[in-house]
Amino acid sequence: LEIPRPESGMAVNVDEALEIAHKIGYPTMVRPSYVLGGRGMEVVYDDEGMRNYMNAAIGVTPDRPILWIIFMIIGFGLKVGFPILHVWLPQAHPAAPAPVSAIMSGAMLNLGVLGIIFFSAPVAILYSSLIGYILVSLGVIGSLGGILFALGQRNIKTLLAFSSIENMGIISMALGLFFITRTNIAYQTTSIFAIAGAIYHIINHSLLKGGLFLSAGSIYKQTGTLNMEELGGLMKRMPILGRCFALNSVGICGIPPMNGFIGEFLIYVAAFYGVINGNSLIAAISATIAISLAFTGGLACAAFSKCFGACFMGEPRTEKAKKATDGSAFMSTPIVVLTILTIPATFLAPLI
């Protein structure tokens, strides 16, 4: 069964949409609720119910802390898009409307990270290093793997989805370094810069990826396609969108002077402090983070240069691309606002 989309006139396969919804709904909604809200509380807290659940919120150590960590990583890892747990994410974004994709990437993924921070409190004193090792490992794999997959994509939103996996990996690396170093006063500088970089990158990712997904939606609205090979020449026809997409792309790649650079710079500083002042293990972990972040940044530049060049530069490759325009102010305003907000996010970094 196919039905037309009112805003574009294009046909949507309902059976395919339902299949994607099933793949998305079960791992991201039902399973985390079961793991964290049902069996997780029963196994970890021995039928003590809501009282012990509230104890967890205020920092009382669970009866089975290792299981608590496992449930926490799996439950929120599905939201974040950690390696292996990420399989729903590249399918969800191309199927969802652009505003939904913007909220999913700019808010839902980030809330998964905040969930890990919150739910780690009951076990962080005794198992902080273990949580840190897990997060760093997942972050290294996720950041490099996500951007490598992004490089080969032709669909704009699929590329942005894999880029979100990459950015969650960067945040995870910083957060992991914080957990590893937070209990030792000798590494206080490293832990402060690491958590500051992680939180700031969460803010930056919300602004930048929200703008990019809305831009992808605008392209789809005007051209009827997200395939980069069918676009081209949009900079002349959609100048406002083109400039916003370019600025947000520069930011998400971590190129100065955009706000994305500030967050990654803080993570670099944390890693360099760890290399210089840490023992052999801390130095090795910090060096791994710095190297991974460098490779990730370079690959991100390649991926978004390819995307911007294919979509906005050159000459149009289809008739729909030739007829594209910036569209209504109602559609362009949210993109422009999110792009403008990246400017104060850059200069107000010390206050944030």
Side-chain angles (χ1 to χ4, degrees):
L1 176 64
E2 292 189 348
I3 58 175
R5 282 187 179 173
E7 72 274 14
S8 65
M10 292 190 66
V12 177
N13 190 300
V14 175
D15 294 331
E16 181 181 352
L18 289 173
E19 181 182 356
I20 293 174
H22 174 74
K23 291 179 180 178
I24 296 169
Y26 178 67
T28 62
M29 302 299 173
V30 179
R31 196 181 302 170
S33 298
Y34 175 76
V35 170
L36 290 173
R39 292 298 301 169
M41 291 302 108
E42 291 179 16
V43 173
V44 174
Y45 279 113
D46 289 80
D47 300 322
E48 289 293 330
M50 185 58 69
R51 181 175 64 83
N52 278 326
Y53 181 80
M54 294 307 296
N55 285 342
I58 61 174
V60 177
T61 303
D63 299 321
R64 296 181 176 88
I66 299 301
L67 286 176
W68 177 264
I69 294 172
I70 293 172
F71 290 139
M72 177 185 69
I73 295 296
I74 294 175
F76 289 109
L78 283 162
K79 300 285 188 185
V80 172
F82 283 149
I84 300 177
L85 305 175
H86 75 282
V87 291
W88 64 272
L89 208 155
Q91 299 180 58
H93 284 298
V100 176
S101 295
I103 293 173
M104 287 170 59
S105 184
M108 193 187 80
L109 302 186
N110 296 332
L111 288 175
V113 176
L114 296 177
I116 292 176
I117 296 174
F118 176 81
F119 276 85
S120 64
V123 294
I125 296 177
L126 297 177
Y127 296 93
S128 183
S129 295
L130 175 61
I131 297 172
Y133 298 144
I134 295 172
L135 291 177
V136 168
S137 300
L138 292 172
V140 170
I141 298 171
S143 61
L144 291 173
I147 199 60
L148 282 171
F149 276 108
L151 273 169
Q153 302 305 316
R154 299 177 183 178
N155 186 293
I156 301 173
K157 289 176 73 174
T158 307
L159 182 149
L160 295 177
F162 279 112
S163 172
S164 294
I165 297 173
E166 169 234 336
N167 280 276
M168 291 301 105
I170 292 173
I171 295 168
S172 180
M173 286 192 294
L175 194 59
L177 185 59
F178 164 73
F179 276 110
I180 293 171
T181 57
R182 64 183 290 273
T183 57
N184 192 328
I185 191 66
Y187 307 135
Q188 185 177 16
T189 302
T190 300
S191 65
I192 290 174
F193 275 107
I195 190 62
I199 298 299
Y200 195 60
H201 202 71
I202 289 174
I203 298 172
N204 293 335
H205 182 257
S206 295
L207 295 173
L208 295 167
K209 199 56 67 69
L212 287 169
F213 271 112
L214 291 178
S215 297
S218 183
I219 291 173
Y220 183 82
K221 168 76 173 177
Q222 297 300 315
T223 64
T225 183
L226 290 170
N227 190 335
M228 301 177 204
E229 296 181 354
E230 298 177 3
L231 298 172
L234 296 183
M235 194 66 182
K236 296 178 182 178
R237 292 155 181 82
M238 307 176 75
I240 297 176
L241 179 71
R243 287 168 173 78
C244 290
F245 195 96
L247 289 172
N248 286 318
S249 297
V250 169
I252 207 68
C253 292
I255 300 174
M258 294 298 291
N259 58 329
F261 166 75
I262 306 298
E264 294 192 14
F265 176 75
L266 293 173
I267 301 172
Y268 273 120
V269 172
F272 290 149
Y273 264 105
V275 171
I276 295 172
N277 301 315
N279 57 33
S280 56
L281 179 60
I282 299 296
I285 293 172
S286 300
T288 301
I289 291 173
I291 293 170
S292 300
L293 194 56
F295 274 108
T296 299
L299 293 171
C301 290
F304 279 93
S305 295
K306 163 199 163 184
C307 180
F308 184 82
C311 295
F312 292 94
M313 307 306 289
E315 294 298 325
R317 290 183 283 277
T318 61
E319 286 299 319
K320 290 184 177 180
K322 290 181 180 179
K323 299 177 182 179
T325 63
D326 266 320
S328 65
F330 182 78
M331 186 167 57
S332 301
T333 300
I335 302 171
V336 174
V337 169
L338 286 172
T339 304
I340 291 174
L341 286 176
T342 63
I343 298 174
T346 301
F347 297 103
L348 297 178
L351 298 178
I352 296 176

